Amino acid sequence: MRFLIFNIRKGVRRRKVDMMIIFLSTITIERTLILRTIFVLIIISFNIPHLLAEKMQLASKQIIVLNFSDFDAKEIIILSVDCVNYPTTEFRLDPGTEWYDHKSHGPGLKYEYAVSTHHPYCVWIRGPFPAGKYNDMSVFLGMEKKKQPKAEWNRSALYWKLPVGKKVVADSIYSGCPEKVMVKRDGHPEWVTEYLDRIQNRQETYHERLSNFNVLSLKFRHGKSSEDKMQLHRMAVDCVAFLVHHDLRHHPLMDV
């Protein structure tokens, strides 16, 4: 019985598609436009974009992985780290100043990225966080409240992942963590300053390549609730990171 119903529905669906093709073929427009229209209708009908995004997100999390065995044992500075805020529409069901991004003067979400110093890939993405709730240093440390005891910091933060003796390069906001972070300081030799500048420029170049996609550079307006919006935004970030990761094979970041 189920098989019969399926065939009947399938036949109805086929007749609808056939009628659509006949109708479109009678319109005096280019054949390529007709094919594009049919293709878009098929994609929308079967929800292909969302299914494709889920597959890309899964693949992204499999290739963007922090694996310390990939680094030379003699390396000390292994990563560059920075946070990026992306604009969104208002979180109307959960309004508050915690979403406010002082850079875009509106609501936003924050992500932390780490790029390998001597390999042209991003190896760490953490987020999203409300743009105004945590500063970059708090995200790095896993500090979820002001003056929170170190014993209560979130152990999933990058600070806790770094082995002893390994460091990251970051901007001056991270200067309060000298045991894990190297920042530019007065008195550094010129060659050290230039070296750190090149590492940070690579990080900014990676961020720029992500922001070339409108889904991240323009206000993100999807999601029925705050949680849903954050989940969909993370999916968008993972998909873009997946595309950029593969593009880096052909257009790598500059060497340091």
Side-chain angles (χ1 to χ4, degrees):
M1 184 65 180
R2 291 182 180 179
F3 179 77
L4 179 61
I5 293 174
F6 174 78
N7 279 337
I8 292 173
R9 290 178 177 174
K10 190 175 182 181
V12 172
R13 189 182 299 115
R14 283 178 177 174
R15 286 197 296 274
K16 288 183 178 179
V17 172
D18 290 340
M19 292 175 63
M20 187 184 302
I21 293 173
I22 294 171
F23 172 74
L24 290 173
S25 64
T26 61
I27 303 175
T28 56
I29 57 177
E30 295 182 2
R31 183 177 298 178
T32 54
L33 184 56
I34 296 175
L35 295 176
R36 288 178 183 175
T37 304
I38 296 172
F39 182 68
V40 170
L41 290 173
I42 292 173
I43 287 177
I44 294 173
S45 299
F46 291 95
N47 199 21
I48 292 176
H50 188 78
L51 296 176
L52 180 60
E54 288 180 342
K55 295 294 184 181
M56 291 176 66
Q57 183 178 34
L58 178 62
S60 177
K61 292 183 177 182
Q62 291 174 346
I63 61 178
I64 300 179
V65 178
L66 182 57
N67 187 355
F68 292 104
S69 62
D70 294 336
F71 300 96
D72 192 319
K74 296 181 181 179
E75 286 185 73
I76 297 177
I77 299 176
I78 59 174
L79 302 172
S80 59
V81 177
D82 200 4
C83 287
V84 180
N85 295 342
Y86 297 115
T88 67
T89 54
E90 296 285 348
F91 290 81
R92 298 187 182 276
L93 298 180
D94 188 22
T97 57
E98 64 180 15
W99 307 105
Y100 182 76
D101 174 22
H102 69 280
K103 295 180 180 178
S104 63
H105 301 289
L109 293 172
K110 181 188 294 288
Y111 289 82
E112 180 183 60
Y113 296 95
V115 177
S116 175
T117 305
H118 298 290
H119 302 85
Y121 297 116
C122 175
V123 296
W124 175 269
I125 301 176
R126 186 164 179 254
F129 302 97
K133 188 174 183 179
Y134 307 110
N135 61 28
D136 296 3
M137 183 69 166
S138 297
V139 174
F140 176 73
L141 296 176
M143 186 186 302
E144 299 176 346
K145 300 177 183 177
K146 290 184 178 179
K147 298 181 180 180
Q148 185 179 25
K150 190 173 182 178
E152 298 177 5
W153 292 359
N154 190 335
R155 293 301 195 272
S156 64
L158 184 58
Y159 173 87
W160 301 97
K161 304 294 183 182
L162 293 172
V164 177
K166 303 298 182 182
K167 291 190 175 185
V168 302
V169 172
D171 53 32
S172 58
I173 195 173
Y174 295 82
S175 59
C177 187
E179 71 277 11
K180 296 287 187 180
V181 183
M182 187 172 186
V183 301
K184 290 186 295 183
R185 299 183 183 276
D186 296 335
H188 274 161
E190 183 177 353
W191 69 269
V192 173
T193 301
E194 291 179 355
Y195 176 67
L196 298 179
D197 279 338
R198 289 183 65 84
I199 292 176
Q200 288 183 286
N201 287 339
R202 289 174 83 250
Q203 180 87 23
E204 292 299 328
T205 300
Y206 179 76
H207 293 168
E208 184 178 354
R209 294 192 185 186
L210 295 175
S211 297
N212 285 336
F213 291 80
N214 288 342
V215 70
L216 298 184
S217 61
L218 302 180
K219 286 188 176 182
F220 190 83
R221 57 187 72 252
H222 306 283
K224 297 180 180 179
S225 64
S226 298
E227 183 179 355
D228 187 37
K229 178 177 287 189
M230 293 176 74
Q231 290 178 352
L232 290 175
H233 195 275
R234 177 59 197 254
M235 179 183 289
V237 167
D238 286 331
C239 290
V240 171
F242 172 82
L243 296 173
V244 172
H245 184 89
H246 284 280
D247 181 65
L248 287 173
R249 296 181 177 181
H250 307 285
H251 306 92
L253 301 172
M254 65 179 181
D255 295 330
V256 296

